[in-house]
C-alpha cells in the first residue's frame, strides 16, 4: 500500500468506498469456505451408505440439500464479487484520474527551466505507465493484500481445526517462500524501475525522431536512426525480460512448492485414514475430512499467490510512485506570493525597465546587464540586436516566464513581481519564435484565447495578419485541421496564423518575437501597417533581426551582448 506523500491522502478520500468493498470481500471469503464443509459432509455421508442403500435415489437425497446451499452460496459470491470489483477497482480508476489531473496541473505551473531539462517522452511515461502501476496498487494490490490475509487466515484456521500437525507441515514451506519473496521484493522494485527508465529513453528518442522527421529525411539518416532505435528497443526488451524472468522464476517456485505440498497431503492424509481405522481412533480422519482438508488447501493457493503478486505489484508501484513524486515535488518557482497585489487596476501598456540585470537559473554570467528604458502606453517599439544579444530573454522576463529581480520591471506603476501572474499575462498577447500551432482547426488556433471563438473576430484577425486569402484557398477554409505543430502549412503561413491568434486576443500589450522573419518584405510591411492601424493606443513590441522591420517604429531598443547600446527613434 502506498502511504508516501501525494498518495496516502487517497485512502482517506475514498475511505468509505474502500471499507465497504473490503467488507463485502471479507463476507465473500467467509461464505465461500462453507462449500468445502458441505462437500466433506456429503462425502462422509456417502461413504457410510450401506451396499443395500447405495443407489441413485439415496445419493440424491444426501446431495440435494447441500447442492442447493452451494448454488445459493455461488449466487451470493457472483453478486459480491461484482460489488467489490465495482467499489475497489472503481475507486482506483478515480484515483488514477485525480492523480493524473494533479500531475497535469502541477506540470503546467512549472518553469521553463524544468522543461529545458525534462524530455517529453519521459513525462509521457510518467503520465501513462507509471500512473497505471500506481492504479494497480490501489485496486488489484489492495484486493490481493486483503484477500490474501483474510482468506488465507480463515483457511488456515479451518485446516488447523481438522489436523493441526498436517497443517503445520503444509504451511511451513509456504511461509518460507513468502519470506523469500518479501526479501526479493527490493530486487523486483529495482528491476522494474530500470525497465521504466529504459522505456522512458525509448519514448524520448521516438518523440524526437517523429518531430524531426523532415531533418532525418533531408540528411538521409533513416538507416542510422533505425539502428539507434533498435538499440533502444533491445535495451527495453532486455530490461523487461530481466524483470519478467525474475518474476516468473518466483511464480514457478511457488507453483512447484504448492504441487509438492498437495501431493504430500494426499499421501499423508490417506495414511492417516488407514492408521486411524486400524487403531480405532475416536475421532478418526475419514475421506470426508480429507476431502474438506484438500479443498481448503487448494483454496489456500490463491491467498499465497495473491500475497506474492501483491509484493510484485507493490514493488512496481513504489518504483513508479517515486518517479511521479519527482515530478510533483518539483518546486513551482513562478508563482504569486505574499507580496502579490490583489485586484490591481487594468494595465494600460506602459512599461519601465529599471537597471535590469538577469542571469538564467542554470547560468553563470548575466544575459542582460543594467538595462534601463521606458515604453509609453500605446507606443510601437522595435527591439533589435544580433543573435544572442538578449532579445528573447527580455521578452521571457516581460511574460514572467522567469522571475526578474524586484524593482527592475514595472507595468504602469506596479512592480511586475507583485502583479498576479494571471492578471499580467491576460493583458499580453505573445507570438513566439517557434510559432507553435495545435492539431486543431485554423479557426480554433486563431481563437485560442477564447472558450468559443467568434468567427468574425477570427476572420478579421486573419485579414490583419495577411493570411486570410491563404486560408480561404484551403478546401475546408477556416475549418481546415492542421497537422501536429502546424506541419501542414508553410513557415510563413504558420507565422501569420500565430500573429492572427495574438491579434484576436486584442491585448493591451502585443509582443512579436521575430515573428515576421519567414514572410517576404511586402507581406511584412502589410502586417506592420495593419498593426499600426488597429493597435492605436495599445503597446506593441516587435523583435526583429532586420532594420527594415523596425525602422518606422516609435522607438527602437538596440541590444548588444545583453547591454543596451541605443534607445530612441530611427531618425534620432
Amino acid at each position: 500500500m502506498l502511504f508516501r506523500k501525494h498518495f496516502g491522502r487517497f485512502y482517506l478520500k475514498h475511505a468509505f468506498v474502500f471499507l465497504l468493498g473490503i467488507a463485502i470481500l471479507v463476507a465473500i471469503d467467509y461464505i465461500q469456505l462453507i462449500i468445502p464443509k458441505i462437500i466433506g459432509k456429503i462425502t462422509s455421508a456417502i461413504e457410510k451408505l450401506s451396499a443395500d442403500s447405495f443407489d441413485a435415489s439415496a445419493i440424491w437425497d444426501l446431495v440435494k440439500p447441500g447442492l442447493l446451499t452451494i448454488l445459493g452460496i455461488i449466487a451470493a459470491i457472483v453478486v459480491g464479487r461484482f460489488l467489490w470489483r465495482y467499489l475497489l477497482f472503481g475507486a482506483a480508476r478515480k484515483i488514477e484520474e485525480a492523480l493524473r489531473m494533479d500531475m497535469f496541473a502541477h506540470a503546467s505551473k512549472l518553469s521553463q527551466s524544468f522543461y529545458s531539462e525534462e524530455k517529453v517522452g519521459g513525462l509521457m511515461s510518467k503520465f501513462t505507465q507509471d500512473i497505471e502501476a500506481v492504479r494497480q496498487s490501489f485496486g488489484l494490490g489492495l484486493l490481493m493484500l486483503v484477500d490474501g490475509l483474510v482468506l488465507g487466515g480463515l483457511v488456515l484456521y479451518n485446516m488447523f481445526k481438522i489436523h493441526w500437525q498436517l497443517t503445520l507441515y503444509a504451511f511451513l514451506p509456504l511461509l518460507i517462500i513468502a519470506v523469500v519473496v518479501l526479501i526479493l521484493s527490493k530486487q523486483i522494485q529495482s528491476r522494474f524501475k530500470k525497465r521504466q527508465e529504459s522505456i522512458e529513453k525509448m519514448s524520448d528518442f521516438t518523440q524526437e525522431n517523429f518531430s524531426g522527421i523532415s531533418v532525418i529525411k533531408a540528411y538521409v539518416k533513416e538507416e542510422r536512426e533505425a539502428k539507434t532505435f533498435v538499440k533502444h528497443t533491445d535495451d527495453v526488451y532486455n530490461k523487461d525480460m530481466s524483470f519478467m524472468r525474475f518474476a516468473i522464476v518466483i511464480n514457478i517456485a511457488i507453483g512447484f512448492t504448492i504441487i509438492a505440498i498437495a501431493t504430500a497431503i494426499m499421501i499423508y492424509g490417506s495414511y492417516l485414514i488407514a492408521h486411524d481405522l486400524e487403531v480405532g481412533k475416536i475421532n478418526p480422519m475419514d475421506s470426508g475430512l480429507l476431502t474438506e482438508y484438500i479443498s481448503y488447501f487448494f483454496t489456500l493457493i490463491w491467498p499465497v499467490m495473491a500475497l506474492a503478486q501483491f509484493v510484485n505489484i507493490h514493488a512496481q508501484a513504489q518504483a513508479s510512485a517515486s518517479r511521479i513524486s519527482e515530478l510533483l515535488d518539483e518546486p513551482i518557482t513562478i508563482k504569486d506570493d505574499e507580496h502579490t497585489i490583489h485586484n490591481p487596476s487594468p494595465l494600460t501598456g506602459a512599461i519601465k525597465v529599471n537597471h535590469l540585470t538577469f542571469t538564467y537559473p542554470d547560468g553563470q554570467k548575466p544575459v542582460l546587464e543594467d538595462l534601463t528604458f521606458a515604453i509609453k502606453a500605446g507606443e510601437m517599439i522595435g527591439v533589435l540586436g544580433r543573435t544572442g544579444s538578449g532579445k528573447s530573454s527580455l521578452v521571457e522576463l516581460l511574460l514572467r516566464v522567469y522571475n526578474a529581480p524586484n524593482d527592475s520591471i514595472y507595468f504602469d506603476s506596479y512592480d511586475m513581481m507583485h502583479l498576479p501572474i494571471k492578471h499580467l499575462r491576460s493583458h499580453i498577447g505573445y507570438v513566439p519564435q517557434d510559432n507553435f500551432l495545435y492539431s486543431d482547426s485554423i479557426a480554433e488556433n486563431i481563437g485560442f484565447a477564447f472558450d468559443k471563438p467568434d468567427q468574425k473576430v477570427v476572420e478579421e484577425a486573419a485579414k490583419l495578419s495577411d493570411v486570410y486569402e491563404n486560408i480561404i484557398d484551403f478546401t475546408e477554409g477556416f475549418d481546415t485541421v492542421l497537422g501536429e505543430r502546424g506541419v501542414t502549412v508553410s513557415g510563413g503561413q504558420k507565422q501569420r496564423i500565430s500573429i492572427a491568434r495574438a491579434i484576436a486576443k486584442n491585448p493591451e500589450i502585443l509582443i512579436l518575437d521575430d515573428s515576421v522573419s519567414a514572410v517576404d518584405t511586402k507581406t511584412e510591411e502589410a502586417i506592420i501597417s495593419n498593426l499600426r492601424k488597429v493597435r492605436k493606443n495599445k503597446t506593441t513590441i516587435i523583435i526583429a533581426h532586420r532594420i527594415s522591420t523596425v525602422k518606422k517604429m516609435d522607438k527602437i531598443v538596440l541590444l548588444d551582448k545583453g547591454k543596451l547600446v541605443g534607445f530612441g527613434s530611427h531618425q534620432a
Side-chain angles (χ1 to χ4, degrees):
M1 297 175 71
L2 296 174
F3 288 108
R4 64 166 67 207
K5 183 183 176 184
H6 306 301
F7 301 96
R9 60 191 173 90
F10 290 117
Y11 290 110
L12 290 175
K13 184 176 180 180
H14 299 277
F16 175 75
V17 174
F18 278 131
L19 290 173
L20 182 59
I22 289 170
I24 294 171
L25 177 61
V26 171
I28 295 302
D29 284 344
Y30 179 80
I31 64 171
Q32 77 180 64
L33 294 182
I34 298 173
I35 295 175
K37 293 181 187 298
I38 296 172
I39 293 173
K41 288 179 180 177
I42 291 173
T43 304
S44 295
I46 292 173
E47 185 183 26
K48 293 173 182 176
L49 284 174
S50 63
D52 295 336
S53 59
F54 198 85
D55 55 31
S57 176
I59 293 173
W60 174 246
D61 290 338
L62 289 173
V63 170
K64 183 179 178 181
L67 182 62
L68 293 175
T69 304
I70 289 173
L71 290 175
I73 291 171
I74 290 171
I77 290 172
V78 169
V79 174
R81 284 184 176 174
F82 168 79
L83 290 174
W84 64 248
R85 277 183 169 85
Y86 177 81
L87 293 167
L88 296 182
F89 294 171
R93 287 290 182 185
K94 289 179 181 178
I95 291 169
E96 177 189 22
E97 179 188 19
L99 185 58
R100 186 175 281 117
M101 289 301 297
D102 287 349
M103 290 169 66
F104 184 85
H106 186 79
S108 66
K109 296 174 185 176
L110 295 176
S111 68
Q112 198 66 29
S113 299
F114 172 80
Y115 289 102
S116 64
E117 298 174 3
E118 188 77 15
K119 293 186 177 180
V120 175
L123 280 173
M124 291 306 298
S125 68
K126 289 182 175 73
F127 274 86
T128 52
Q129 293 182 338
D130 285 320
I131 282 187
E132 170 70 14
V134 169
R135 179 183 67 79
Q136 291 277 20
S137 177
F138 278 103
L140 192 60
L142 182 61
L143 156 69
M144 288 182 170
L145 177 63
V146 174
D147 206 26
L149 292 175
V150 173
L151 183 59
L154 290 172
V155 169
L156 284 172
Y157 172 75
N158 286 324
M159 289 171 71
F160 267 100
K161 280 176 64 178
I162 294 172
H163 202 288
W164 69 268
Q165 296 100 325
L166 185 57
T167 304
L168 198 60
Y169 297 147
F171 183 66
L172 276 175
L174 295 179
L175 183 62
I176 292 169
I177 283 186
V179 172
V180 171
V181 169
L182 194 61
I183 293 169
L184 295 177
S185 65
K186 287 291 182 183
Q187 272 288 325
I188 296 172
Q189 183 175 335
S190 174
R191 290 176 188 234
F192 182 77
K193 191 171 184 178
K194 288 177 181 177
R195 168 182 176 267
Q196 294 296 87
E197 289 170 351
S198 181
I199 292 172
E200 180 178 317
K201 289 177 183 176
M202 184 184 70
S203 300
D204 288 337
F205 179 83
T206 306
Q207 188 270 332
E208 284 184 348
N209 268 257
F210 287 143
S211 296
I213 191 68
S214 58
V215 177
I216 293 170
K217 289 181 177 180
Y219 284 85
V220 199
K221 294 298 180 183
E222 294 94 334
E223 187 176 345
R224 186 190 71 179
E225 295 303 297
K227 288 179 180 177
T228 307
F229 181 71
V230 168
K231 289 180 182 178
H232 281 290
T233 54
D234 284 346
D235 186 61
V236 171
Y237 173 81
N238 291 332
K239 296 284 194 332
D240 198 25
M241 289 303 293
S242 173
F243 167 74
M244 291 305 297
R245 283 193 198 100
F246 198 74
I248 288 169
V249 166
I250 292 173
N251 286 333
I252 290 173
I254 292 171
F256 178 80
T257 305
I258 287 170
I259 292 171
I261 296 170
T263 304
I265 287 172
M266 290 181 187
I267 294 171
Y268 187 59
S270 301
Y271 164 76
L272 287 175
I273 292 172
H275 178 267
D276 289 352
L277 288 172
E278 184 180 337
V279 299
K281 192 173 180 181
I282 299 174
N283 296 309
M285 170 73 82
D286 60 16
S287 58
L289 281 175
L290 182 59
T291 302
E292 182 181 346
Y293 190 88
I294 291 172
S295 296
Y296 285 136
F297 178 77
F298 282 108
T299 303
L300 185 64
I301 292 174
W302 161 246
V304 174
M305 296 295 288
L307 290 174
Q309 284 294 322
F310 167 74
V311 171
N312 192 5
I313 289 171
H314 182 68
Q316 294 178 35
Q318 287 286 5
S320 291
S322 68
R323 285 162 48 82
I324 292 172
S325 293
E326 288 174 6
L327 172 64
L328 293 175
D329 288 335
E330 190 70 30
I332 299 172
T333 55
I334 311 299
K335 60 182 179 180
D336 297 334
D337 56 26
E338 65 274 11
H339 302 296
T340 300
I341 300 168
H342 298 290
N343 301 317
S345 303
L347 302 180
T348 63
I351 302 171
K352 179 184 176 183
V353 177
N354 180 44
H355 298 290
L356 170 63
T357 297
F358 173 71
T359 304
Y360 282 109
D362 56 350
Q364 294 183 344
K365 60 182 292 193
V367 292
L368 297 172
E369 291 187 59
D370 199 30
L371 301 189
T372 298
F373 60 88
I375 300 171
K376 295 178 182 177
E379 285 189 320
M380 184 171 274
I381 304 296
V383 181
L384 201 62
R386 300 174 185 174
T387 301
S389 60
K391 303 185 299 297
S392 294
S393 299
L394 177 61
V395 169
E396 288 173 338
L397 289 174
L398 294 177
L399 288 164
R400 206 179 163 190
V401 174
Y402 294 94
N403 288 323
N406 287 323
D407 302 318
S408 61
I409 300 178
Y410 286 84
F411 285 84
D412 295 348
S413 59
Y414 299 110
D415 183 344
M416 181 186 73
M417 295 302 294
H418 297 161
L419 280 171
I421 295 173
K422 186 175 181 180
H423 180 80
L424 170 66
R425 292 175 181 169
S426 67
H427 286 80
I428 299 176
Y430 175 51
V431 185
Q433 282 183 335
D434 62 358
N435 302 296
F436 185 90
L437 297 178
Y438 292 92
S439 301
D440 207 336
S441 69
I442 293 174
E444 289 293 334
N445 269 280
I446 294 175
F448 183 73
F450 310 98
D451 293 333
K452 292 183 179 179
D454 185 283
Q455 188 65 24
K456 289 183 179 179
V457 173
V458 168
E459 291 180 4
E460 186 61 29
K463 291 174 182 177
L464 291 170
S465 64
D466 202 38
V467 74
Y468 180 82
E469 296 298 329
N470 296 121
I471 294 172
I472 60 174
D473 283 343
F474 295 137
T475 305
E476 301 294 330
F478 281 88
D479 293 326
T480 301
V481 176
L482 303 177
E484 186 177 4
R485 301 177 69 90
V487 294
T488 50
V489 294
S490 69
Q493 290 169 340
K494 193 186 295 186
Q495 278 196 338
R496 284 176 284 159
I497 292 171
S498 297
I499 293 170
R501 177 170 59 195
I503 292 173
K505 185 180 179 181
N506 193 27
E508 294 302 318
I509 302 165
L510 176 63
I511 301 174
L512 283 73
D513 188 356
D514 198 24
S515 302
V516 290
S517 59
V519 300
D520 57 68
T521 306
K522 184 180 178 181
T523 304
E524 175 188 304
E525 289 176 354
I527 292 171
I528 293 174
S529 176
N530 289 336
L531 288 175
R532 193 178 294 278
K533 291 176 185 176
V534 78
R535 290 193 56 76
K536 286 183 178 179
N537 303 319
K538 293 181 184 291
T539 302
T540 304
I541 301 172
I542 299 178
I543 295 173
H545 285 92
R546 300 192 294 244
I547 296 175
S548 60
T549 307
V550 299
K551 66 181 181 181
K552 294 182 180 180
M553 303 288 159
D554 297 321
K555 299 238 178 67
I556 298 172
V557 176
L558 182 60
L559 298 176
D560 186 41
K561 295 180 180 179
K563 296 180 180 179
L564 182 68
V565 295
F567 180 67
S569 65
H570 178 66
Q571 292 76 16

